[in-house]
Amino acid sequence: MRFLVDIPDEDLGWLDRKAAETGKSRAALVREAVAAYRAQTGGDGIERYFGIWKDRSGPDEPAI
């Protein structure tokens, strides 16, 4: 998917320098940054919230 985003000139300069240093495109660096942020914040929450109710009792179970 392509999208338009406004990035401050200072950040764009930094991004261009990193792209030159690593031999990657701006787009590749942005994709990597999004993937890293998603991993850091738990993505869609499945891994983050899996088992969250494991200690709760159901209507037919005694409370723990």
Side-chain angles (χ1 to χ4, degrees):
M1 177 179 132
R2 292 178 180 244
F3 64 95
L4 180 66
V5 61
D6 291 323
I7 298 176
D9 290 339
E10 182 179 317
D11 292 339
L12 189 57
W14 176 86
L15 188 60
D16 285 340
R17 287 190 300 277
K18 287 297 174 187
E21 289 172 11
T22 62
K24 298 178 181 179
S25 67
R26 283 182 190 168
L29 293 176
V30 171
R31 284 191 296 269
E32 290 175 6
V34 170
Y37 180 73
R38 185 174 180 198
Q40 175 186 345
T41 60
D44 56 12
I46 290 174
E47 294 84 14
R48 186 178 194 182
Y49 296 110
F50 182 79
I52 196 168
W53 284 23
K54 67 181 179 197
D55 295 329
R56 292 187 60 146
S57 59
D60 299 328
E61 301 171 14
I64 298 175

